[in-house]
Amino acid sequence: MTLLNLFWLFVLGFATWYWWRAKAIKDGVLVAAKRYCKTMDVMLLDDVVYLRGVWVKRDSGGQLRVWRRFMFDFTTTGEERYSGRIIMLGRQIIHTELEPHRI
């Protein structure tokens, strides 16, 4: 086995790990979005959240963490679509918000 083969094996392994980890985070955010929509008495549309931003920021302890912004769509009446967002810092959800909507 050559060094080049080891390099490509490492790249493939890292890409697989990253995809697996990102999917687990996204699934957790989807569960949180469903729960939040239920408590706010709105309906999550399409059962999907999508990643709209990734950044590196410091948490309250000064540690560098990955900052992620997820978006989702919801409705109150079934006729109009509104957007909501969930902000994560590291592994914690730090903010969830719905855009102004009709009740």
Side-chain angles (χ1 to χ4, degrees), residues 53-64:
V54 177
W55 202 252
V56 176
K57 291 190 176 186
R58 293 192 185 272
D59 63 9
S60 59
Q63 297 286 327
L64 282 176

Side-chain angles (χ1 to χ4, degrees), residues 49-90:
V49 295
Y50 44 96
L51 184 64
R52 294 303 265 175
V54 177
W55 202 252
V56 176
K57 291 190 176 186
R58 293 192 185 272
D59 63 9
S60 59
Q63 297 286 327
L64 282 176
R65 302 280 183 214
V66 178
W67 177 92
R68 295 175 181 93
R69 180 179 57 176
F70 289 91
M71 304 293 289
F72 59 91
D73 294 328
F74 69 95
T75 186
T76 56
T77 63
E79 295 177 9
E80 299 165 336
R81 285 180 99 88
Y82 300 99
S83 293
R85 78 173 152 220
I86 294 178
I87 306 294
M88 289 187 73
L89 187 59

Side-chain angles (χ1 to χ4, degrees), residues 14-99:
F14 180 77
T16 303
W17 171 82
Y18 180 80
W19 176 81
W20 194 276
R21 180 79 179 121
K23 181 161 177 24
I25 289 170
K26 189 174 179 180
D27 290 345
V29 170
L30 179 60
V31 169
K34 286 179 181 180
R35 192 175 332 131
Y36 188 74
C37 285
K38 188 173 183 176
T39 61
M40 298 303 289
D41 200 28
V42 297
M43 184 172 50
L44 180 67
L45 294 175
D46 307 325
D47 279 340
V48 67
V49 295
Y50 44 96
L51 184 64
R52 294 303 265 175
V54 177
W55 202 252
V56 176
K57 291 190 176 186
R58 293 192 185 272
D59 63 9
S60 59
Q63 297 286 327
L64 282 176
R65 302 280 183 214
V66 178
W67 177 92
R68 295 175 181 93
R69 180 179 57 176
F70 289 91
M71 304 293 289
F72 59 91
D73 294 328
F74 69 95
T75 186
T76 56
T77 63
E79 295 177 9
E80 299 165 336
R81 285 180 99 88
Y82 300 99
S83 293
R85 78 173 152 220
I86 294 178
I87 306 294
M88 289 187 73
L89 187 59
R91 296 181 183 181
Q92 291 185 339
I93 294 174
I94 59 171
H95 184 72
T96 304
E97 130 183 303
L98 302 177
E99 98 181 348

